[in-house]
Amino acid sequence: YQSISVPNLSSITTDLAGNTRDYSGSVSLGAYDAAICVEATQQAHSIAFLSIGHTNATVEWTSGNGSYAVVIVKEGAPADITGLANGQILQADNDYNSASSSPIDGGKVVYVKGDHQLNITGLEPNKKYYLTVLSYAACESPIYLKTDVETSYFTTNTGHYALLSSFTAVDNYNGSYEDDHSPQYAVDL
């Protein structure tokens, strides 16, 4: 079984004899079969942060047309992915402290799968992190789409909270209370 990379066979619908063909799986080459690996042409995009805590963040994105996505996180600046070459197999860990950083200049690989949502743990409070998502084809040797890569950032919370069971509104409060319950408020300090 030899894996080959084919940019896009979806436009080929008939063979030389005029028979209708579907080239989305494997192609019979007589005694040899080849798995077709279609390279990604549309990048993952629309990064959104669903929640951000003091040591974790939950993020989602819209998948591109690659079979998988790689998510890279780096504290303080965007990760430089120029060192990422096709064929490199990346190991991921959603715990930032345990995640591998090579070959991405200081960035850590926190995700290598086909879904589009992730909870990142092991972050430091009150730090700015840059998150990069890119699509890739999960071939025998991965083929990464490194053009039009989207990067976004988030800052973790300080991690210091006070739980208040009641408070006194000051400074010209004009609102009204809707019920007689004693609300609790979490205040980021």
Coordinates of all heavy atoms in Angstrom, one line a residue, residues 67-163:
S67 N -8.5 17.0 6.4 CA -9.1 15.9 7.2 C -8.8 16.2 8.7 O -9.5 15.7 9.5 CB -8.5 14.6 6.8 OG -7.2 14.6 6.5
Y68 N -7.8 17.0 9.1 CA -7.5 17.3 10.4 C -7.1 18.8 10.6 O -6.9 19.5 9.6 CB -6.4 16.4 11.0 CG -6.8 15.0 11.2 CD1 -6.5 14.1 10.2 CD2 -7.4 14.6 12.4 CE1 -6.9 12.7 10.4 CE2 -7.8 13.3 12.6 CZ -7.5 12.4 11.6 OH -7.9 11.1 11.8
A69 N -7.0 19.2 11.9 CA -6.5 20.5 12.2 C -5.4 20.4 13.2 O -5.4 19.5 14.0 CB -7.6 21.4 12.7
V70 N -4.5 21.3 13.2 CA -3.4 21.5 14.1 C -3.6 22.8 14.9 O -3.9 23.8 14.2 CB -2.0 21.5 13.5 CG1 -0.9 21.7 14.5 CG2 -1.7 20.2 12.7
V71 N -3.6 22.7 16.2 CA -3.7 24.0 17.0 C -2.4 24.2 17.8 O -2.0 23.3 18.5 CB -4.9 23.9 18.0 CG1 -5.0 25.1 18.8 CG2 -6.2 23.7 17.2
I72 N -1.9 25.3 17.6 CA -0.6 25.7 18.2 C -0.8 26.9 19.1 O -1.4 27.9 18.6 CB 0.5 26.0 17.1 CG1 0.6 24.8 16.2 CG2 1.8 26.4 17.7 CD1 1.3 25.1 14.9
V73 N -0.3 26.9 20.3 CA -0.5 28.0 21.2 C 0.9 28.4 21.7 O 1.8 27.6 21.9 CB -1.3 27.5 22.5 CG1 -1.3 28.7 23.5 CG2 -2.7 27.1 22.1
K74 N 1.1 29.8 21.7 CA 2.3 30.3 22.2 C 2.0 31.5 23.1 O 1.2 32.4 22.8 CB 3.2 30.7 21.0 CG 4.6 31.3 21.5 CD 5.5 31.6 20.3 CE 6.8 32.1 20.7 NZ 7.6 32.6 19.6
E75 N 2.8 31.6 24.2 CA 2.6 32.7 25.1 C 3.4 33.9 24.5 O 4.5 33.8 24.1 CB 3.1 32.4 26.5 CG 3.0 33.5 27.5 CD 3.7 33.3 28.8 OE1 3.9 32.1 29.1 OE2 4.0 34.3 29.4
G76 N 2.7 35.1 24.5 CA 3.3 36.4 24.2 C 3.5 36.8 22.8 O 3.6 38.0 22.5
A77 N 3.5 35.9 21.8 CA 3.6 36.2 20.4 C 3.1 35.0 19.6 O 3.1 33.9 20.1 CB 5.1 36.5 20.1
P78 N 2.7 35.3 18.3 CA 2.3 34.2 17.5 C 3.5 33.2 17.2 O 4.6 33.6 17.2 CB 1.9 34.9 16.2 CG 1.6 36.3 16.5 CD 2.6 36.6 17.7
A79 N 3.1 32.0 17.1 CA 4.1 30.9 16.8 C 4.6 31.1 15.3 O 3.8 31.4 14.5 CB 3.5 29.5 17.0
D80 N 5.9 30.8 15.1 CA 6.4 30.8 13.8 C 6.4 29.4 13.3 O 7.0 28.5 13.8 CB 7.9 31.2 13.9 CG 8.6 31.3 12.5 OD1 7.9 30.9 11.5 OD2 9.8 31.6 12.5
I81 N 5.5 29.1 12.3 CA 5.3 27.8 11.7 C 6.2 27.5 10.5 O 6.0 26.4 9.9 CB 3.8 27.5 11.4 CG1 3.3 28.5 10.3 CG2 3.0 27.6 12.7 CD1 2.0 28.1 9.8
T82 N 7.1 28.4 10.2 CA 7.9 28.1 9.0 C 8.8 26.8 9.1 O 9.1 26.2 8.1 CB 8.8 29.3 8.7 OG1 9.6 29.6 9.8 CG2 8.0 30.5 8.3
G83 N 9.1 26.4 10.3 CA 9.8 25.2 10.6 C 9.0 23.9 10.4 O 9.5 22.8 10.4
L84 N 7.7 24.1 10.3 CA 6.8 22.9 10.1 C 6.8 22.4 8.7 O 6.4 23.2 7.8 CB 5.4 23.3 10.5 CG 4.3 22.2 10.4 CD1 4.7 21.0 11.3 CD2 3.0 22.7 10.8
A85 N 7.4 21.3 8.5 CA 7.5 20.7 7.1 C 6.5 19.6 6.9 O 6.2 18.8 7.8 CB 8.9 20.2 6.9
N86 N 6.0 19.4 5.6 CA 5.2 18.3 5.3 C 5.9 17.0 5.7 O 7.1 16.9 5.5 CB 4.9 18.3 3.8 CG 3.9 19.4 3.5 OD1 3.1 19.9 4.3 ND2 3.9 19.8 2.2
G87 N 5.2 16.1 6.1 CA 5.8 14.8 6.5 C 6.1 14.7 8.0 O 6.2 13.6 8.5
Q88 N 6.2 15.8 8.7 CA 6.4 15.8 10.1 C 5.1 15.4 10.9 O 4.1 16.0 10.7 CB 6.9 17.2 10.6 CG 8.3 17.5 10.2 CD 8.7 18.9 10.7 OE1 8.0 19.8 10.5 NE2 9.9 18.9 11.3
I89 N 5.3 14.4 11.7 CA 4.1 13.9 12.5 C 4.2 14.6 13.8 O 5.2 14.5 14.6 CB 4.1 12.4 12.6 CG1 4.0 11.8 11.2 CG2 3.0 11.9 13.6 CD1 4.1 10.3 11.2
L90 N 3.1 15.3 14.2 CA 3.1 16.1 15.4 C 2.4 15.4 16.5 O 1.3 14.7 16.3 CB 2.4 17.5 15.2 CG 3.1 18.4 14.1 CD1 2.2 19.6 13.9 CD2 4.5 18.7 14.6
Q91 N 2.9 15.4 17.7 CA 2.2 14.9 18.9 C 1.6 16.1 19.7 O 2.3 17.1 19.8 CB 3.2 14.1 19.8 CG 3.9 13.0 19.1 CD 2.9 11.9 18.7 OE1 2.0 11.6 19.4 NE2 3.0 11.4 17.5
A92 N 0.4 15.9 20.1 CA -0.3 17.0 20.8 C -0.7 16.6 22.2 O -0.9 15.4 22.5 CB -1.6 17.4 20.0
D93 N -0.9 17.6 23.0 CA -1.4 17.4 24.4 C -2.1 18.7 24.7 O -1.5 19.8 24.6 CB -0.2 17.2 25.4 CG -0.7 16.7 26.7 OD1 -1.8 17.2 27.2 OD2 0.0 16.0 27.3
N94 N -3.4 18.6 25.1 CA -4.1 19.8 25.4 C -3.7 20.5 26.7 O -4.1 21.6 27.0 CB -5.7 19.6 25.4 CG -6.1 18.8 26.6 OD1 -5.5 17.8 27.0 ND2 -7.2 19.2 27.3
D95 N -2.8 19.9 27.5 CA -2.2 20.5 28.6 C -1.0 21.3 28.1 O 0.0 20.7 27.7 CB -1.8 19.4 29.7 CG -1.2 20.0 30.9 OD1 -0.6 21.2 30.9 OD2 -1.2 19.4 31.9
Y96 N -1.1 22.6 28.2 CA 0.0 23.4 27.6 C 1.4 23.1 28.2 O 2.4 23.1 27.5 CB -0.4 24.9 27.9 CG 0.6 25.9 27.3 CD1 0.6 26.2 25.9 CD2 1.5 26.6 28.1 CE1 1.4 27.1 25.3 CE2 2.4 27.5 27.5 CZ 2.3 27.7 26.2 OH 3.2 28.6 25.6
N97 N 1.4 22.8 29.5 CA 2.7 22.5 30.1 C 3.3 21.2 29.6 O 4.6 21.1 29.6 CB 2.5 22.4 31.6 CG 2.2 23.7 32.3 OD1 2.7 24.7 31.9 ND2 1.3 23.7 33.2
S98 N 2.5 20.3 29.2 CA 3.0 19.0 28.7 C 3.2 18.9 27.2 O 3.8 18.0 26.6 CB 2.1 17.9 29.1 OG 2.0 17.8 30.5
A99 N 2.6 19.9 26.5 CA 2.6 19.9 25.0 C 4.0 20.1 24.4 O 4.9 20.7 25.0 CB 1.7 21.0 24.5
S100 N 4.2 19.4 23.2 CA 5.5 19.5 22.5 C 5.7 20.8 21.8 O 4.7 21.3 21.2 CB 5.6 18.4 21.5 OG 6.7 18.5 20.7
S101 N 6.9 21.4 21.8 CA 7.1 22.6 21.1 C 7.8 22.5 19.8 O 7.8 23.4 18.9 CB 7.8 23.6 22.0 OG 9.1 23.1 22.3
S102 N 8.5 21.4 19.5 CA 9.2 21.3 18.3 C 8.3 20.8 17.2 O 7.4 20.0 17.5 CB 10.5 20.4 18.4 OG 10.1 19.0 18.4
P103 N 8.4 21.2 16.0 CA 9.3 22.2 15.4 C 8.8 23.6 15.3 O 9.2 24.3 14.4 CB 9.5 21.5 14.0 CG 8.1 21.1 13.7 CD 7.5 20.6 15.0
I104 N 7.9 24.0 16.1 CA 7.3 25.3 16.0 C 7.9 26.2 17.0 O 7.6 26.1 18.2 CB 5.8 25.2 16.3 CG1 5.1 24.3 15.2 CG2 5.1 26.5 16.2 CD1 4.8 23.0 15.6
D105 N 8.7 27.1 16.6 CA 9.5 28.1 17.4 C 8.8 28.6 18.6 O 8.2 29.6 18.6 CB 9.8 29.2 16.4 CG 10.5 30.4 17.1 OD1 11.5 30.1 17.8 OD2 10.2 31.5 16.9
G106 N 8.8 27.8 19.7 CA 8.3 28.2 21.0 C 6.8 28.0 21.1 O 6.3 28.0 22.2
G107 N 6.1 27.7 20.1 CA 4.7 27.4 20.1 C 4.5 25.9 20.6 O 5.4 25.1 20.4
K108 N 3.4 25.6 21.2 CA 3.2 24.3 21.6 C 2.0 23.7 20.9 O 0.9 24.3 20.8 CB 3.0 24.2 23.1 CG 4.2 24.7 23.9 CD 4.1 24.2 25.3 CE 5.5 24.6 26.0 NZ 5.5 24.1 27.4
V109 N 2.1 22.4 20.5 CA 1.0 21.7 19.8 C 0.1 21.2 20.8 O 0.4 20.3 21.5 CB 1.6 20.6 18.9 CG1 0.5 19.9 18.1 CG2 2.6 21.2 17.9
V110 N -1.2 21.7 20.8 CA -2.1 21.3 21.8 C -3.3 20.5 21.2 O -4.1 20.0 21.9 CB -2.7 22.5 22.6 CG1 -1.7 23.2 23.4 CG2 -3.4 23.5 21.6
Y111 N -3.3 20.3 19.9 CA -4.4 19.6 19.2 C -4.0 19.2 17.8 O -3.4 19.9 17.1 CB -5.6 20.6 19.1 CG -6.8 19.9 18.6 CD1 -7.7 19.2 19.4 CD2 -7.2 20.1 17.2 CE1 -8.8 18.6 18.9 CE2 -8.3 19.5 16.7 CZ -9.1 18.8 17.6 OH -10.3 18.2 17.1
V112 N -4.3 17.9 17.5 CA -4.1 17.3 16.2 C -5.2 16.3 16.0 O -5.0 15.1 16.2 CB -2.7 16.7 16.0 CG1 -2.5 16.1 14.6 CG2 -1.5 17.6 16.4
K113 N -6.3 16.8 15.6 CA -7.5 15.9 15.4 C -8.4 16.5 14.3 O -8.2 17.5 13.7 CB -8.3 15.7 16.7 CG -7.5 15.0 17.8 CD -8.4 14.8 19.0 CE -7.6 14.1 20.1 NZ -8.4 14.0 21.3
G114 N -9.6 15.8 14.2 CA -10.5 16.2 13.2 C -11.7 17.0 13.7 O -12.6 17.3 12.9
D115 N -11.8 17.2 15.0 CA -12.9 18.0 15.5 C -12.7 19.5 15.3 O -11.8 19.9 14.6 CB -13.2 17.7 17.0 CG -13.6 16.2 17.2 OD1 -14.2 15.7 16.3 OD2 -13.2 15.6 18.2
H116 N -13.5 20.3 16.0 CA -13.3 21.8 15.8 C -13.5 22.5 17.1 O -13.9 23.7 17.2 CB -14.3 22.3 14.8 CG -15.7 22.1 15.1 ND1 -16.4 20.9 14.8 CD2 -16.6 22.9 15.7 CE1 -17.6 21.0 15.2 NE2 -17.8 22.2 15.7
Q117 N -13.3 21.8 18.3 CA -13.4 22.4 19.6 C -12.4 21.8 20.5 O -12.1 20.6 20.4 CB -14.8 22.3 20.1 CG -15.0 23.1 21.4 CD -16.5 23.0 21.9 OE1 -17.0 21.9 22.0 NE2 -17.1 24.1 22.0
L118 N -11.9 22.6 21.4 CA -10.8 22.2 22.3 C -10.8 22.9 23.6 O -11.0 24.2 23.6 CB -9.5 22.4 21.6 CG -8.2 22.4 22.4 CD1 -7.9 20.9 22.8 CD2 -7.0 22.9 21.5
N119 N -10.5 22.2 24.7 CA -10.3 22.9 26.0 C -8.8 22.8 26.3 O -8.3 21.7 26.4 CB -11.1 22.2 27.1 CG -10.9 22.9 28.5 OD1 -10.9 24.2 28.5 ND2 -10.8 22.2 29.5
I120 N -8.1 23.9 26.4 CA -6.7 24.0 26.7 C -6.5 24.2 28.2 O -7.1 25.1 28.8 CB -6.0 25.1 25.9 CG1 -6.3 25.0 24.4 CG2 -4.5 25.1 26.1 CD1 -6.1 26.3 23.7
T121 N -5.7 23.3 28.8 CA -5.4 23.4 30.2 C -3.9 23.7 30.5 O -3.2 23.8 29.5 CB -5.8 22.1 31.0 OG1 -5.0 21.1 30.4 CG2 -7.2 21.8 30.8
G122 N -3.6 23.9 31.7 CA -2.2 24.2 32.0 C -1.6 25.5 31.7 O -0.4 25.7 31.5
L123 N -2.5 26.5 31.6 CA -2.1 27.9 31.2 C -1.8 28.7 32.5 O -2.2 28.3 33.6 CB -3.2 28.6 30.5 CG -3.7 27.9 29.2 CD1 -4.9 28.6 28.6 CD2 -2.5 27.9 28.1
E124 N -1.1 29.7 32.4 CA -0.7 30.6 33.5 C -1.7 31.7 33.6 O -2.2 32.3 32.6 CB 0.7 31.2 33.3 CG 1.8 30.2 33.2 CD 2.3 29.8 34.6 OE1 2.2 30.7 35.5 OE2 2.7 28.7 34.7
P125 N -2.1 32.1 34.8 CA -3.1 33.3 35.0 C -2.5 34.6 34.5 O -1.3 34.8 34.5 CB -3.3 33.4 36.5 CG -2.9 32.0 37.0 CD -1.8 31.5 36.1
N126 N -3.4 35.4 33.9 CA -3.0 36.8 33.5 C -1.9 36.8 32.4 O -1.0 37.7 32.5 CB -2.7 37.6 34.7 CG -2.8 39.1 34.4 OD1 -3.6 39.5 33.6 ND2 -2.0 39.9 35.0
K127 N -1.9 35.9 31.5 CA -1.0 35.8 30.4 C -1.7 35.9 29.1 O -2.8 35.4 28.9 CB -0.2 34.5 30.4 CG 0.6 34.3 31.7 CD 1.9 35.1 31.7 CE 2.7 34.8 33.0 NZ 3.9 35.5 33.1
K128 N -1.0 36.5 28.1 CA -1.6 36.6 26.7 C -1.0 35.4 25.9 O 0.2 35.2 25.8 CB -1.2 37.9 26.1 CG -1.8 38.2 24.8 CD -1.4 39.6 24.3 CE -2.4 40.1 23.2 NZ -2.0 41.5 22.9
Y129 N -1.9 34.7 25.3 CA -1.6 33.5 24.5 C -2.1 33.7 23.1 O -3.2 34.2 22.9 CB -2.2 32.2 25.0 CG -1.6 31.8 26.4 CD1 -2.2 32.2 27.6 CD2 -0.5 31.0 26.4 CE1 -1.7 31.8 28.8 CE2 0.1 30.6 27.6 CZ -0.5 31.0 28.8 OH 0.0 30.6 30.0
Y130 N -1.3 33.3 22.1 CA -1.7 33.4 20.7 C -2.0 31.9 20.2 O -1.3 31.0 20.6 CB -0.6 33.9 19.8 CG -0.4 35.4 20.0 CD1 0.2 35.9 21.1 CD2 -1.0 36.3 19.1 CE1 0.4 37.3 21.3 CE2 -0.9 37.7 19.3 CZ -0.2 38.2 20.4 OH -0.1 39.5 20.6
L131 N -3.1 31.8 19.5 CA -3.6 30.5 19.1 C -3.6 30.5 17.6 O -4.2 31.4 16.9 CB -4.9 30.2 19.7 CG -5.5 28.9 19.4 CD1 -6.1 28.3 20.7 CD2 -6.6 28.9 18.4
T132 N -3.0 29.5 17.0 CA -3.0 29.3 15.5 C -3.6 28.0 15.1 O -3.3 27.0 15.8 CB -1.5 29.3 15.0 OG1 -0.9 30.6 15.4 CG2 -1.4 29.2 13.5
V133 N -4.5 28.0 14.2 CA -5.1 26.8 13.7 C -4.8 26.7 12.2 O -5.0 27.6 11.4 CB -6.7 26.9 13.9 CG1 -7.3 25.6 13.4 CG2 -7.0 27.1 15.3
L134 N -4.4 25.5 11.8 CA -4.2 25.2 10.4 C -4.7 23.8 10.0 O -4.7 22.9 10.8 CB -2.7 25.4 10.0 CG -1.7 24.6 10.6 CD1 -0.9 23.8 9.5 CD2 -0.7 25.5 11.3
S135 N -5.2 23.7 8.8 CA -5.7 22.5 8.3 C -4.6 21.6 7.7 O -3.5 22.1 7.3 CB -6.7 22.7 7.1 OG -7.8 23.4 7.6
Y136 N -4.8 20.3 7.7 CA -3.8 19.5 7.0 C -4.5 18.2 6.6 O -5.6 17.8 7.1 CB -2.6 19.2 7.9 CG -2.7 18.1 9.0 CD1 -2.3 16.8 8.7 CD2 -3.2 18.5 10.2 CE1 -2.4 15.9 9.7 CE2 -3.3 17.5 11.2 CZ -2.9 16.2 11.0 OH -3.0 15.3 12.0
A137 N -3.9 17.5 5.6 CA -4.4 16.3 5.1 C -3.7 15.2 5.9 O -2.4 15.1 6.0 CB -4.0 16.1 3.6
A138 N -4.5 14.3 6.4 CA -3.9 13.2 7.3 C -3.5 12.0 6.4 O -4.2 11.0 6.3 CB -5.0 12.8 8.3
C139 N -2.5 12.2 5.7 CA -1.9 11.2 4.8 C -1.0 10.3 5.6 O -0.7 10.6 6.8 CB -1.2 11.8 3.6 SG -2.2 13.0 2.7
E140 N -0.4 9.4 4.9 CA 0.7 8.6 5.6 C 1.7 9.5 6.1 O 2.3 9.4 7.2 CB 1.3 7.6 4.6 CG 2.2 6.6 5.2 CD 2.6 5.5 4.2 OE1 1.7 4.8 3.7 OE2 3.8 5.5 3.8
S141 N 2.1 10.5 5.3 CA 2.9 11.7 5.7 C 2.0 12.9 5.6 O 1.6 13.2 4.6 CB 4.1 11.8 4.8 OG 5.0 10.7 4.9
P142 N 1.8 13.6 6.8 CA 0.9 14.8 6.8 C 1.3 15.8 5.8 O 2.5 16.1 5.6 CB 1.0 15.3 8.2 CG 1.5 14.1 9.0 CD 2.4 13.3 8.1
I143 N 0.3 16.5 5.2 CA 0.6 17.6 4.3 C -0.1 18.8 4.9 O -1.4 18.9 4.9 CB 0.0 17.3 2.9 CG1 0.7 16.1 2.3 CG2 0.3 18.5 1.9 CD1 0.1 15.6 1.0
Y144 N 0.6 19.8 5.3 CA 0.1 21.0 6.0 C -0.2 22.1 5.1 O 0.6 22.4 4.2 CB 1.1 21.4 7.1 CG 1.4 20.4 8.1 CD1 2.6 19.6 8.0 CD2 0.5 20.1 9.1 CE1 2.8 18.6 8.9 CE2 0.8 19.1 10.1 CZ 1.9 18.3 10.0 OH 2.2 17.4 10.9
L145 N -1.4 22.7 5.3 CA -1.7 23.9 4.5 C -1.2 25.1 5.3 O -1.7 25.4 6.4 CB -3.2 24.0 4.3 CG -3.7 25.2 3.5 CD1 -3.1 25.3 2.1 CD2 -5.3 25.2 3.4
K146 N -0.1 25.8 4.8 CA 0.5 26.8 5.6 C 0.3 28.2 5.0 O 1.0 29.2 5.3 CB 2.0 26.6 5.8 CG 2.2 25.3 6.5 CD 3.7 25.1 7.0 CE 4.7 25.4 6.0 NZ 6.1 25.1 6.5
T147 N -0.8 28.4 4.2 CA -1.1 29.7 3.6 C -2.4 30.1 4.3 O -3.3 29.3 4.7 CB -1.3 29.6 2.1 OG1 -2.3 28.6 1.8 CG2 0.0 29.3 1.4
D148 N -2.6 31.4 4.4 CA -3.8 32.0 5.0 C -4.2 31.4 6.4 O -5.3 31.2 6.7 CB -5.1 31.8 4.1 CG -4.9 32.5 2.7 OD1 -4.3 33.5 2.7 OD2 -5.3 31.9 1.7
V149 N -3.1 31.2 7.2 CA -3.3 30.7 8.5 C -3.9 31.7 9.4 O -3.4 32.9 9.4 CB -1.9 30.2 9.0 CG1 -2.1 29.7 10.5 CG2 -1.4 29.1 8.1
E150 N -4.9 31.4 10.2 CA -5.5 32.3 11.1 C -4.9 32.2 12.5 O -4.8 31.1 13.0 CB -7.0 32.1 11.2 CG -7.7 33.1 12.0 CD -9.2 33.0 11.9 OE1 -9.7 32.8 10.8 OE2 -9.9 33.2 12.9
T151 N -4.6 33.3 13.1 CA -4.1 33.4 14.5 C -4.9 34.4 15.2 O -5.3 35.4 14.7 CB -2.6 33.8 14.5 OG1 -1.8 32.8 13.8 CG2 -2.1 34.0 15.9
S152 N -5.3 34.0 16.5 CA -6.0 34.9 17.3 C -5.4 34.9 18.7 O -4.5 34.0 18.9 CB -7.5 34.5 17.4 OG -8.3 35.5 18.0
Y153 N -5.8 35.7 19.6 CA -5.2 35.7 20.9 C -6.2 35.8 22.0 O -7.3 36.3 21.8 CB -4.1 36.8 21.1 CG -4.6 38.2 21.0 CD1 -5.0 38.8 22.2 CD2 -4.7 38.9 19.8 CE1 -5.5 40.1 22.2 CE2 -5.2 40.2 19.8 CZ -5.6 40.8 21.0 OH -6.1 42.0 20.9
F154 N -5.8 35.5 23.2 CA -6.7 35.6 24.4 C -5.8 35.8 25.6 O -4.6 35.5 25.6 CB -7.6 34.4 24.6 CG -6.8 33.1 24.9 CD1 -6.6 32.7 26.2 CD2 -6.3 32.3 23.9 CE1 -5.9 31.5 26.5 CE2 -5.6 31.2 24.1 CZ -5.4 30.8 25.4
T155 N -6.3 36.4 26.6 CA -5.6 36.6 27.9 C -6.3 35.9 29.0 O -7.6 36.1 29.2 CB -5.5 38.1 28.2 OG1 -4.8 38.8 27.1 CG2 -4.7 38.4 29.5
T156 N -5.6 35.1 29.7 CA -6.2 34.3 30.8 C -6.6 35.3 31.9 O -6.0 36.4 32.1 CB -5.3 33.2 31.3 OG1 -4.0 33.8 31.6 CG2 -5.2 32.1 30.4
N157 N -7.6 34.9 32.8 CA -8.0 35.8 33.9 C -6.9 35.8 34.9 O -6.0 34.9 35.0 CB -9.3 35.2 34.5 CG -10.4 35.4 33.5 OD1 -10.5 36.3 32.8 ND2 -11.3 34.4 33.5
T158 N -7.0 36.7 35.8 CA -5.9 36.9 36.9 C -5.9 35.7 37.8 O -4.9 35.4 38.4 CB -6.1 38.2 37.7 OG1 -7.4 38.1 38.3 CG2 -6.0 39.4 36.8
G159 N -7.1 35.0 38.0 CA -7.1 33.9 39.0 C -7.4 34.3 40.4 O -7.5 33.5 41.3
H160 N -7.7 35.6 40.6 CA -8.0 36.1 42.0 C -9.5 36.5 42.0 O -9.8 37.4 41.3 CB -7.1 37.2 42.4 CG -5.7 36.9 42.4 ND1 -5.1 36.1 43.3 CD2 -4.7 37.2 41.5 CE1 -3.8 35.9 43.0 NE2 -3.6 36.6 41.9
Y161 N -10.3 35.8 42.7 CA -11.7 36.1 42.7 C -12.2 36.3 44.2 O -11.7 35.6 45.1 CB -12.6 35.0 42.0 CG -12.3 34.9 40.6 CD1 -11.4 34.0 40.1 CD2 -13.0 35.7 39.7 CE1 -11.1 33.9 38.8 CE2 -12.7 35.6 38.3 CZ -11.8 34.7 37.9 OH -11.6 34.6 36.5
A162 N -13.2 37.1 44.4 CA -13.9 37.2 45.7 C -15.3 36.8 45.4 O -16.0 37.3 44.5 CB -13.8 38.6 46.2
L163 N -15.9 36.0 46.3 CA -17.3 35.7 46.2 C -18.1 36.5 47.2 O -17.8 36.5 48.4 CB -17.5 34.2 46.5 CG -18.9 33.7 46.3 CD1 -19.4 33.8 44.8 CD2 -19.0 32.2 46.7

